[in-house]
Amino acid sequence: MMKFRFRRQGNDPHREKIKQDLFAFNKTVEHGFPNQPSALAYDPKLQLMAIGTKSGAIKIYGAPGVEMTGLHKDTAAVTQIHFLYGQGRILSLLDDNTIHLWEIVQRENRSHLVEVHSFNLPGRPGIESTSATRVTVMLLKLSCDLLALGTEGGGVHFLELPTLTLLNKSLFQDEIMQSIPEEYKCGKSLGPVESLQQHPQDSDKILIGYSRGLVVLWDLNSRHVDNLFLGKQQLESLVWERSGNSFVSSHSDGGYMLWAVSSSNPCTHDPISSTIPYGPFPCKAVNKILWRTTESGSPLVLFSGGMPRASYGDRHCLTILQDSSHVTLDFTSRVIDFFTIHCTDKDKEFDDPSALVVLLEEELVVIDLQMAGWPTVPAPYLAPLHSSAITCSCHISNVPPRLWERVISAGQQQCPLQNYEVAELKDPTQKLKTSAFSPQVLCCHEDGTVRFWDASGVSLKPLYKLSTANIFQTDGDHNDSLTQAGEEEWPPFRKVGCFDPYSDDPRLAIQKISVCKYSGKLVVAGTAGQVIVLVLSDEKSDHMIDVATVDLLQDREGFTWKGHDRLPPKSGSVVFAPGFQPVVLVQCMPPAAVTAVTLHAEWNLIAFGTSHGFGLFDYHRRSPVLARCTLHPNDSLAMEGPLSRVKSLKKSLRQSFRRIRKSRVSGKKRVVVNSPTSKVQEANAQLAEHDAEVTPVQRRIEPRSADDSLSGVVRCLCFADTFLRDGTHHGPTMWAGTNSGSVYAYALDVPSQEKFSEQSVEALLGKEIQLMHRAPVVSIAVLDGRGNPLPEPYEVSRDLAKAPDMQGSHSVLIVSEEQFKVFMLPKVSAKTKFKLTAHEGCRVRKVALSNFTSVSSEEYSENALVCLTNLGDIHVFSVPALRPQVRYDCIRKEDISGIASCVFTKTGQGFYLISPSEYERFSLSARVITEPLCRVDVERPHDLSAHSCYVEFPDNCLSSLNVKFLQHRSYSKLDI
């Protein structure tokens, strides 16, 4: 008898149209702080800031939501960038000695940063070597028609802008040497050009500073030396005083000098004053100095470096001086560059700086120079995501307005200066929002903190910071007291910035997190087996934390924990600020890192798992409900802990050879041993035989050994109200999946809300499933009678979601690293499956159930399973049929950390780390896209691109580059 099955039909045009309306892949925006910044620029007319990176990227920032990125063709570090003021153009100098001109152009109703010209400075044949023509400094005239280039050979070359045409008016050292007194000449070279500065009152004169210490005032028109300043110390930087009557030079000995400029004295041997602020002992170089005049009288002096070499040579500092006021800003990362926001109107007499912007290697810091004490201004964006190393992250969709307001209120009490109304910022970037509720991203960190971010727009805005370190006794308290005692010493250090690469205790690191957005409850779990239940409170609290211990080994013999100790909790009451406050601490024993956690606030239950087993805890009654050990007798590595694990080379080699021998064994059918799960395996075998006639050639997947190390690790947990005991009565259940392909399903007896205090929760093992190839279980989800995911707790009771279908039979979707499988409940009979590894040759790393809404009709939507593999590609499958829909290349397969950090949202978007400080945001939905849609309005005297550009900002938005804009100022369009 012949069997005909038409599983692979031709493409259905109607279905293809539906898929086009549902799915579309776009990488939309990069969130966070640029990785490895190397250059900084600011346009005071357009109020735009640019940051260049070592990877060759240029990122332009304006008000929140105004972002543009340009990437050089060659991956070379950006060493310098300069704006052509008011023109929407920017010049960049790369490490390969090439100069590039970029323009902001208008395309497809939005602004783009486009490269329009490039230039490479040629050398003089036979005279100058390649290194001699290497550009060390660029000076852009304020008229934006001339660019001066200083080189290592001491020459100064001039380019016409915006065409980047080399002019025949280069200045070489031999011309300068003719004007230098004989006694000052020491050899033939003055050294590289270290600084070029245009005269503030006469645009035809520039100040040229050479490395050896000589400073020359050069007249461009007459090609004549107006003044010579015979410095004797190696030069680092120059800056004019606003009137042009004097300038300041900084030097390699940690000092700076003030020089007078006078036409009556063409050759100056000595400065007006010379100061080494942190002398007399040897100091490091003052790399850059700014001199700003103020209406109050005394100038404001700002410089980086200059620290005493022996005592504080490893510090990253920037000093602010004015009269008797002296502050040494102490940063935790290297100072790249800095600038002040000040008056640039030529008619004004004083600079009157309002803010200092400092670009550091790991963050951007803004200092208010008008308020007493020069406090830090919290920026509404560009805050470092990696202030402490990110260990895990979570995305919350459709945050209820009440929870949103409470989180923002708690964050504003943490940082009073952060007075902008984040909740009221309009988002001009997200097209066709599906909900009025705002999404949040939660980042968990190595230092035990959880940071809340507003992810509704292009820029991530910091909302609130939760710290769990104050619950435990660590060495940090003693270190803090020592730090405070040292702050009274000289120099007057002040710790600035939030980037902190050091953790008081690695055991504090948050590994997993679960949130209930409707009840305001949060569960965080850490490296030392700590599971903390927190509740959102609007008031300050002083209370003791209940502590409970759950033994996951269940007195199993033969296992001895060799890892780190548990974190000791503080005894007595602890003061907690408004926000999320801990109510109970559950300590897993042994104190291994928590690998999975989930919360069901409606049932007052949390479930957690480690490499030893999983537990169920009733946080209302403060009592454990269940503890199950999942260790295999050969799981010795599970007892060593992640902080002290040293794998045995002999065991690794033995296992490798064992797998090789298995792969060479002829393909014989394995006999299924009778076991409690034999029915499930028989159903799997029948399903496999049923598909054997029509499936294409598949890769052979060898079953994993039952004694593989770490087979007991709990990979996933979930709660569900479904049918487990029989097909007529549904009730609470808990599901757990392990690294060895085991799935445990427990039926829970949860009392009603009125009897929570009287009756305890009980758990009874209902089903135990063993996957055939023992592949690790990545995710478990229960589907209702219509094949839809079950709603979250409180969604149905509060009329926020449709009630699930309890009439039809439920099913459970079990995702392993190798395949997806749907089982019917309560019999646990195999319904359908898709062998991803056999078909595609990849393994599952991340999965999520997402809802995709059509761009053609808001009424039509589909649920789908989104899967990220170890090759970095994303597959989308229909649910529950598990039919492949689309596939996209997303992450490089070599980017292991990026794949491991990926998080999917419920609306078809995703985030993954492209560097320790940046998230790449992408969208799989054709409808829900978050991307920058800004336009910049400029008028150019020489428009190379023939595009007119506009800048549009969201109403009530704030600029982080001007302190005035941080004070409740709003506008809809920038005045040029």
Side-chain angles (χ1 to χ4, degrees):
M1 179 179 178
M2 297 181 64
K3 294 183 179 180
F4 294 95
R5 295 181 61 190
F6 301 93
R7 292 183 60 186
R8 285 177 175 80
Q9 301 175 357
N11 292 335
D12 182 2
H14 178 64
R15 180 58 192 170
E16 292 300 316
K17 176 63 170 64
I18 293 176
K19 290 200 296 187
Q20 289 178 6
D21 291 342
L22 291 174
F23 310 113
F25 179 74
N26 293 284
K27 289 187 178 181
T28 55
V29 69
E30 296 174 358
H31 293 303
F33 183 78
N35 186 44
Q36 294 184 319
S38 55
L40 177 69
Y42 175 61
D43 186 340
K45 291 186 178 180
L46 294 180
Q47 294 177 358
L48 296 175
M49 180 182 69
I51 295 177
T53 70
K54 290 184 178 179
S55 61
I58 296 179
K59 296 175 180 287
I60 295 181
Y61 302 91
V66 179
E67 294 185 14
M68 282 164 281
T69 301
L71 189 63
H72 292 88
K73 296 178 182 178
D74 298 326
T75 307
V78 180
T79 57
Q80 294 182 45
I81 47 180
H82 298 270
F83 274 104
L84 279 68
Y85 292 166
Q87 296 187 18
R89 290 173 175 155
I90 190 168
L91 283 164
S92 62
L93 172 65
L94 301 188
D95 197 26
D96 60 4
N97 207 42
T98 58
I99 299 169
H100 303 260
L101 178 65
W102 297 78
E103 282 189 357
I104 300 174
V105 300
Q106 185 74 9
R107 292 179 184 172
E108 300 175 354
N109 201 32
R110 57 178 290 189
S111 289
H112 297 262
L113 190 61
V114 178
E115 181 181 344
V116 292
H117 279 304
S118 63
F119 176 81
N120 194 356
L121 185 65
R124 291 191 295 175
I127 301 178
E128 289 189 343
S129 63
T130 304
S131 61
T133 58
R134 185 171 185 83
V135 178
T136 55
V137 63
M138 297 197 304
L139 168 65
L140 179 65
K141 287 189 65 177
L142 293 178
S143 57
C144 297
D145 58 354
L146 188 70
L147 176 67
L149 307 176
T151 64
E152 281 191 3
V156 181
H157 306 271
F158 300 93
L159 302 181
E160 183 184 28
L161 292 177
T163 59
L164 293 183
T165 304
L166 182 63
L167 301 177
N168 189 22
K169 54 167 67 175
S170 299
L171 171 64
F172 297 100
Q173 284 196 8
D174 48 5
E175 293 185 60
I176 302 297
M177 295 290 284
Q178 296 174 7
S179 304
I180 299 176
E182 289 296 329
E183 64 273 13
Y184 188 79
K185 295 179 181 179
C186 294
K188 297 181 180 180
S189 176
L190 299 173
V193 177
E194 292 291 341
S195 183
L196 294 171
Q197 298 292 330
Q198 180 179 334
H199 196 290
Q201 303 300 327
D202 189 345
S203 60
D204 293 327
K205 295 182 179 180
I206 61 172
L207 204 61
I208 307 172
Y210 295 93
S211 176
R212 219 182 83 185
L214 175 69
V215 180
V216 176
L217 183 60
W218 177 261
D219 192 312
L220 295 174
N221 288 335
S222 63
R223 296 187 61 84
H224 177 264
V225 175
D226 282 2
N227 292 84
L228 288 172
F229 305 91
L230 307 180
K232 301 178 179 61
Q233 189 60 245
Q234 181 177 331
L235 183 70
E236 294 291 332
S237 72
L238 297 171
V239 63
W240 279 103
E241 186 266 333
R242 188 181 182 91
S243 66
N245 296 325
S246 61
F247 68 89
V248 180
S249 61
S250 68
H251 301 274
S252 61
D253 63 347
Y256 62 89
M257 302 177 184
L258 178 63
W259 300 81
V261 179
S262 173
S263 57
S264 61
N265 187 12
C267 186
T268 305
H269 290 78
D270 298 310
I272 299 175
S273 63
S274 179
T275 306
I276 302 180
Y278 299 108
F281 299 105
C283 297
K284 299 195 74 174
V286 173
N287 302 312
K288 179 178 178 177
I289 189 168
L290 295 179
W291 184 283
R292 299 292 183 241
T293 58
T294 61
E295 195 171 358
S296 60
S298 299
L300 193 71
V301 183
L302 311 99
F303 62 87
S304 60
M307 288 291 103
R309 188 176 297 274
S311 303
Y312 305 106
D314 58 342
R315 299 282 188 104
H316 311 290
C317 298
L318 189 147
T319 301
I320 308 177
L321 293 172
Q322 188 179 32
D323 283 338
S324 59
S325 300
H326 185 163
V327 171
T328 306
L329 305 178
D330 188 9
F331 305 105
T332 52
S333 59
R334 185 169 57 92
V335 177
I336 303 297
D337 201 356
F338 59 95
F339 63 84
T340 59
I341 297 174
H342 59 276
C343 177
T344 56
D345 188 351
K346 288 186 177 181
D347 298 332
K348 300 295 183 181
E349 185 179 355
F350 302 101
D351 295 313
D352 283 331
S354 58
L356 166 67
V357 180
V358 186
L359 176 65
L360 305 167
E361 200 167 33
E362 303 292 351
E363 61 182 319
L364 185 80
V365 174
V366 181
I367 305 295
D368 191 339
L369 297 177
Q370 293 183 331
M371 291 186 65
W374 301 317
T376 303
V377 178
Y381 60 100
L382 272 180
L385 298 174
H386 65 313
S387 50
S388 176
I390 297 176
T391 51
C392 70
S393 54
C394 169
H395 183 272
I396 311 174
S397 302
N398 302 336
V399 178
R402 178 57 183 155
L403 177 64
W404 184 263
E405 294 168 0
R406 295 175 69 189
V407 169
I408 289 177
S409 175
Q412 289 176 339
Q413 293 183 60
Q414 286 181 338
C415 190
L417 287 176
Q418 193 166 324
N419 53 15
Y420 58 93
E421 293 295 331
V422 180
E424 296 180 2
L425 287 181
K426 294 184 179 179
D427 180 10
T429 61
Q430 186 163 338
K431 300 189 293 186
L432 301 173
K433 285 188 178 180
T434 58
S435 173
F437 295 178
S438 299
Q440 288 182 350
V441 169
L442 276 60
C443 293
C444 305
H445 298 271
E446 189 181 43
D447 61 355
T449 60
V450 180
R451 287 171 167 82
F452 292 66
W453 302 84
D454 175 11
S456 61
V458 170
S459 56
L460 286 185
K461 305 175 184 69
L463 300 178
Y464 168 71
K465 172 185 170 183
L466 163 69
S467 177
T468 61
N470 57 344
I471 302 174
F472 304 100
Q473 297 177 9
T474 62
D475 297 332
D477 300 332
H478 179 64
N479 294 337
D480 290 342
S481 61
L482 293 177
T483 303
Q484 293 174 0
E487 287 178 350
E488 299 177 359
E489 300 176 359
W490 178 262
F493 289 117
R494 183 207 294 173
K495 287 286 184 182
V496 178
C498 57
F499 175 74
D500 185 6
Y502 309 106
S503 175
D504 293 335
D505 195 320
R507 295 174 296 175
L508 289 170
I510 305 297
Q511 297 296 334
K512 298 294 176 181
I513 185 170
S514 182
V515 187
C516 177
K517 59 189 178 186
Y518 300 110
S519 63
K521 291 185 174 65
L522 172 69
V523 176
V524 295
T527 302
Q530 70 272 27
V531 181
I532 309 168
V533 182
L534 304 102
V535 178
L536 185 60
S537 175
D538 300 326
E539 304 294 333
K540 182 179 178 181
S541 177
D542 185 355
H543 64 268
M544 290 184 62
I545 303 169
D546 294 327
V547 180
T549 302
V550 177
D551 182 13
L552 297 180
L553 289 182
Q554 293 294 290
D555 300 325
R556 181 173 294 195
E557 298 179 356
F559 291 96
T560 303
W561 174 248
K562 304 175 184 177
H564 51 268
D565 294 331
R566 57 183 284 186
L567 277 167
K570 288 184 178 179
S571 57
S573 61
V574 183
V575 178
F576 299 101
F580 282 96
Q581 300 173 353
V583 292
V584 61
L585 166 64
V586 181
Q587 179 63 56
C588 300
M589 297 302 292
V594 177
T595 55
V597 71
T598 188
L599 161 70
H600 200 295
E602 207 165 4
W603 300 340
N604 293 326
L605 294 175
I606 58 171
F608 45 86
T610 69
S611 55
H612 307 119
F614 56 88
L616 181 65
F617 189 84
D618 182 350
Y619 60 83
H620 181 77
R621 293 175 58 89
R622 309 292 199 267
S623 62
V625 178
L626 167 71
R628 171 71 182 254
C629 181
T630 56
L631 281 179
H632 188 273
N634 293 335
D635 262 350
S636 59
L637 288 182
M639 303 309 296
E640 297 180 3
L643 301 181
S644 62
R645 183 177 302 142
V646 180
K647 291 188 176 182
S648 169
L649 178 60
K650 181 185 292 186
K651 184 169 184 178
S652 298
L653 290 173
R654 185 167 63 247
Q655 290 178 350
S656 300
F657 283 115
R658 185 181 301 159
R659 291 191 182 97
I660 293 173
R661 285 197 302 270
K662 285 183 178 180
S663 65
R664 292 175 178 173
V665 176
S666 60
K668 298 179 180 180
K669 290 187 177 180
R670 290 173 171 77
V671 179
V672 180
V673 181
N674 291 331
S675 67
T677 60
S678 59
K679 291 184 178 181
V680 176
Q681 295 183 355
E682 287 177 9
N684 293 344
Q686 291 175 4
L687 189 62
E689 292 175 2
H690 193 55
D691 293 342
E693 300 176 5
V694 293
T695 52
V697 177
Q698 300 179 4
R699 295 168 178 82
R700 180 172 180 175
I701 309 301
E702 291 292 338
R704 308 189 185 197
S705 173
D707 61 353
D708 279 352
S709 300
L710 301 177
S711 61
V713 175
V714 178
R715 295 287 296 270
C716 58
L717 295 160
C718 80
F719 289 108
D721 186 353
T722 187
F723 301 91
L724 188 62
R725 295 174 177 172
D726 55 60
T728 57
H729 301 89
H730 63 87
T733 62
M734 186 200 76
W735 300 72
T738 71
N739 227 26
S740 60
S742 299
V743 177
Y744 304 91
Y746 283 83
L748 307 179
D749 186 5
V750 179
S752 61
Q753 296 282 348
E754 298 79 14
K755 298 182 179 180
F756 265 138
S757 301
E758 302 174 7
Q759 299 180 6
S760 59
V761 179
E762 296 182 359
L764 178 65
L765 179 62
K767 306 289 180 183
E768 186 173 341
I769 306 170
Q770 178 62 60
L771 299 182
M772 184 177 299
H773 291 106
R774 298 184 177 274
V777 179
V778 178
S779 176
I780 301 173
V782 176
L783 309 176
D784 69 4
R786 300 188 186 92
N788 297 323
L790 298 182
E792 296 183 31
Y794 290 111
E795 280 191 334
V796 175
S797 61
R798 298 186 182 184
D799 296 328
L800 299 173
K802 292 182 180 180
D805 182 5
M806 292 297 183
Q807 302 302 320
S809 58
H810 284 198
S811 56
V812 58
L813 170 62
I814 299 178
V815 179
S816 73
E817 283 190 358
E818 297 176 357
Q819 65 181 352
F820 316 121
K821 218 163 197 177
V822 175
F823 295 92
M824 299 301 296
L825 294 177
K827 293 184 178 180
V828 196
S829 57
K831 179 182 180 182
T832 184
K833 65 180 176 181
F834 185 86
K835 299 179 180 180
L836 184 71
T837 303
H839 285 291
E840 306 292 339
C842 53
R843 296 186 184 275
V844 177
R845 286 294 176 260
K846 300 281 183 176
V847 293
L849 288 170
S850 299
N851 183 266
F852 293 86
T853 304
S854 172
V855 293
S856 300
S857 173
E858 191 174 355
E859 302 298 324
Y860 183 79
S861 64
E862 290 184 8
N863 292 311
L865 177 68
V866 182
C867 164
L868 173 69
T869 73
N870 64 323
L871 301 181
D873 50 359
I874 292 179
H875 301 255
V876 180
F877 298 87
S878 62
V879 173
L882 297 182
R883 294 191 181 95
Q885 301 298 304
V886 289
R887 176 195 169 278
Y888 304 110
D889 292 325
C890 183
I891 309 174
R892 293 181 301 106
K893 64 180 180 181
E894 298 84 8
D895 188 2
I896 299 176
S897 61
I899 294 174
S901 64
C902 184
V903 174
F904 292 112
T905 76
K906 292 189 175 181
T907 57
Q909 297 190 81
F911 302 80
Y912 68 93
L913 287 172
I914 55 175
S915 72
S917 60
E918 290 175 292
Y919 273 110
E920 176 81 61
R921 187 170 189 158
F922 62 89
S923 177
L924 303 172
S925 170
R927 185 179 185 88
V928 182
I929 302 175
T930 303
E931 60 183 353
L933 296 176
C934 56
R935 297 190 300 174
V936 178
D937 185 8
V938 295
E939 294 182 2
R940 302 187 181 112
H942 304 282
D943 198 345
L944 301 180
S945 57
H947 287 276
S948 78
C949 304
Y950 298 85
V951 170
E952 287 191 356
F953 301 102
D955 295 335
N956 301 322
C957 70
L958 307 162
S959 170
S960 68
L961 304 180
N962 195 326
V963 173
K964 292 181 180 179
F965 289 150
L966 289 168
Q967 309 296 330
H968 300 287
R969 179 176 176 181
S970 63
Y971 54 93
S972 58
K973 200 165 186 178
L974 187 63
D975 295 326
I976 305 299

